[in-house]
Amino acid sequence: QISEAEVVMFSAPSYACQRRTSLNNHNTVLTEALSLLADNAELSGDEGRGVAFRRAAAVLKALPKPVTDMTQLRGLPCLGEHSLRVIKDILEDGASSEVESTKRSERYKALKVLTGIFGVGVKTADRWFREGIRDLQQLQDSGQTLNQAQQAGLEHYDDLNQPVTRAEADAVGEIVEKAVVSVLPGAQMTLIGGFRRGKLTGHDVDFLITHPEEGREEGLVPKVVSRLESEGFLLYQKTTRNSYLESQDGPARPSSNMDRFERCFSIFKLSEEEKRGLKQTGNGVSRIHSHRVPGPEAGHKPWRAVRVDLVVCPISQFAFALLGWTGSKLFERELRRWAGHEKAMSLSSHALYDTKQRRYLRATSEEEIFAHLGLEFIPPSERNT
Ligand code: CTP
Ligand code: MN
Ligand code: MN
């Protein structure tokens, strides 16, 4: 029994972007429970409650030690009544009945499976659930019309729900970089998203592409995509063109959190050889698909599907795009909330606008953006909120 005096009290600033959150989480049981409740709230269309649970989980992720006693949490921000009750149940009984019953509920299980299909959001999954669809088999049998993304998502469901490794991310990076440099010499590519934060696996691989000469990057995505397509690397792709200049949103304030860069959401076909870095590609020659005689493990296909996101930005916006696409999602949300609520500024992946000074604040590095925001610089590896 630990006496009250020996209990470590925790403290933390209230915005996640003011804290360092490494991948070394000392409270995984608690944070996984709160994340599950956040998922469940989001699957029920209650985004506000979802964010509240995510903020609570984020505070616990940043603690230097496991929580052992409720008294340690006094004075910590973002822990509402509901989150505290869940934490208390787990500390006292080893489990929270709310979490356990949510995990077992028909609706939660079905919506997790259905939203696990690439291209399927909460609204669609919920409609299917209300029509009695509970799993992939029932979806296929139902004859529901699926769009192209959803068809691809269903077809590659198992692959896309298997975490992407760092080695696979690097293999994809080599392929994309060759294609990018061949259609635009001098273009620069940066690994962003979870892998830039040092994660060992991810649900996809994200890249940011730019060119040191402003404007040269325009129209790059379609060229890269047709190159990759001719080489047989793409199982699916959806390209969106840049719509920043024609947008009516005003200073750094896209109408949604969605930015307006030219981009491509894709599904890559990554062969075993490419994963092991054995395959040489390039020079515009159409790549020969592997026609290997099936090995002893019958039915084993020699490739796997991997989700890849490509984003292109002009060099003048690079620092903002880099910051905005490195994540985590909660860290980004908290940065924007800090900017708006504490600094009367507006931050997006394109720019930072100072409402009082009525001007854009320039930056060529992430460090400068943190400085403009009056925040201590938090490196990518400590943005794992
Ligand atoms: N992002 C965005 N707009 C989108 C999709 C993503 O700005 N339409 C940003 C997110 O805010 C995040 C980054 O892109 O900062 C990466 O998103 P995502 O790949 O979904 O998450 P990761 O953090 O990379 O997680 P994972 O490792 O699971 O891929
Ligand atoms: Mn990612
Ligand atoms: Mn992504």
Side-chain angles (χ1 to χ4, degrees):
Q1 188 70 28
I2 310 165
S3 74
E4 182 86 16
E6 289 168 276
V7 171
V8 196
M9 294 295 287
F10 294 123
S11 73
S14 49
Y15 287 81
C17 55
Q18 296 173 288
R19 307 189 290 258
R20 295 176 176 270
T21 313
S22 74
L23 288 166
N24 188 9
N25 177 355
H26 299 281
N27 289 283
T28 49
V29 173
L30 297 175
T31 59
E32 277 165 20
L34 293 169
S35 299
L36 184 140
L37 295 179
D39 284 348
N40 187 244
E42 285 163 8
L43 292 172
S44 310
D46 193 341
E47 221 203 305
R49 210 155 54 91
V51 177
F53 282 129
R54 297 223 183 272
R55 286 204 190 113
V59 166
L60 301 186
K61 280 186 203 173
L63 300 181
K65 279 186 162 91
V67 177
T68 52
D69 191 301
M70 290 304 284
T71 57
Q72 297 174 290
L73 304 178
R74 274 183 219 149
L76 281 180
C78 309
L79 298 177
E81 204 184 313
H82 198 156
S83 294
L84 285 171
R85 189 167 72 238
V86 172
I87 296 167
K88 184 165 185 279
D89 287 348
I90 294 173
L91 290 181
E92 288 175 0
D93 312 331
S96 142
S97 57
E98 186 186 3
V99 171
E100 296 311 310
S101 70
T102 302
K103 226 186 268 182
R104 285 190 308 264
S105 87
E106 245 346 67
R107 198 189 133 80
Y108 177 78
K109 283 190 290 187
L111 263 65
K112 277 301 257 192
V113 170
L114 297 174
T115 56
I117 305 169
F118 169 67
V120 178
V122 175
K123 278 192 187 134
T124 304
D126 183 66
R127 192 181 76 239
W128 290 343
F129 180 79
R130 285 187 278 106
E131 292 175 26
I133 297 167
R134 299 289 179 270
D135 57 33
L136 303 184
Q137 192 59 54
Q138 290 175 359
L139 175 63
Q140 252 159 345
D141 298 344
S142 72
Q144 291 278 347
T145 340
L146 304 180
N147 65 30
Q148 287 206 333
Q150 295 162 346
Q151 282 173 33
L154 194 55
E155 188 174 342
H156 304 292
Y157 185 87
D158 290 335
D159 276 3
L160 299 185
N161 280 284
Q162 184 193 319
V164 182
T165 64
R166 178 65 204 230
E168 288 168 334
D170 291 339
V172 171
E174 276 190 37
I175 294 165
V176 177
E177 188 154 30
K178 273 184 196 153
V180 166
V181 173
S182 80
V183 300
L184 181 64
Q188 293 163 1
M189 195 177 86
T190 310
L191 184 62
I192 48 174
F195 286 112
R196 180 162 184 255
R197 303 197 306 274
K199 281 180 64 186
L200 298 175
T201 62
H203 95 284
D204 68 356
V205 195
D206 309 283
F207 296 103
L208 179 62
I209 303 162
T210 191
H211 190 283
E213 256 176 80
E214 185 91 357
R216 291 287 299 280
E217 80 293 341
E218 274 171 40
L220 182 59
V221 169
K223 290 179 199 155
V224 171
V225 165
S226 44
R227 170 117 191 160
L228 291 169
E229 217 146 40
S230 75
E231 293 173 326
F233 282 118
L234 295 183
L235 294 164
Y236 167 86
Q237 65 85 17
K238 185 174 193 301
T239 298
T240 312
R241 68 191 223 298
N242 185 317
S243 57
Y244 185 56
L245 292 174
E246 70 215 52
S247 72
Q248 301 292 304
D249 296 332
R253 300 201 84 258
S255 44
S256 72
N257 288 331
M258 207 59 181
D259 61 64
R260 297 173 174 279
F261 293 122
E262 189 173 288
R263 76 178 74 209
C264 176
F265 294 136
S266 74
I267 301 176
F268 250 67
K269 180 176 183 175
L270 190 62
S271 78
E272 302 280 3
E273 290 93 333
E274 279 135 14
K275 272 168 67 168
R276 282 185 267 113
L278 301 177
K279 194 131 176 182
Q280 297 300 312
T281 57
N283 301 338
V285 186
S286 208
R287 161 168 158 274
I288 299 146
H289 288 261
S290 62
H291 289 301
R292 240 177 34 172
V293 181
E297 343 88 278
H300 172 81
K301 61 179 173 52
W303 56 270
R304 93 159 188 103
V306 176
R307 274 271 299 113
V308 177
D309 288 339
L310 306 179
V311 188
V312 171
C313 75
I315 189 82
S316 62
Q317 298 175 13
F318 180 76
F320 297 99
L322 183 63
L323 180 58
W325 277 80
T326 295
S328 68
K329 283 195 179 102
L330 184 71
F331 192 88
E332 304 293 343
R333 185 187 264 275
E334 293 281 277
L335 274 177
R336 292 191 299 264
R337 189 166 70 98
W338 169 271
H341 291 197
E342 307 294 329
K343 297 285 154 180
M345 292 180 187
S346 170
L347 175 69
S348 76
S349 294
H350 296 280
L352 178 62
Y353 185 77
D354 186 319
T355 314
K356 281 183 279 185
Q357 295 187 55
R358 295 172 155 219
R359 67 179 185 101
Y360 287 97
L361 304 178
R362 304 211 154 270
T364 56
S365 68
E366 289 185 325
E367 282 84 349
E368 284 176 74
I369 303 172
F370 279 86
H372 282 318
L373 290 169
L375 287 169
E376 186 191 333
F377 179 67
I378 308 287
S381 63
E382 297 185 289
R383 298 179 201 161
N384 287 294
T385 57

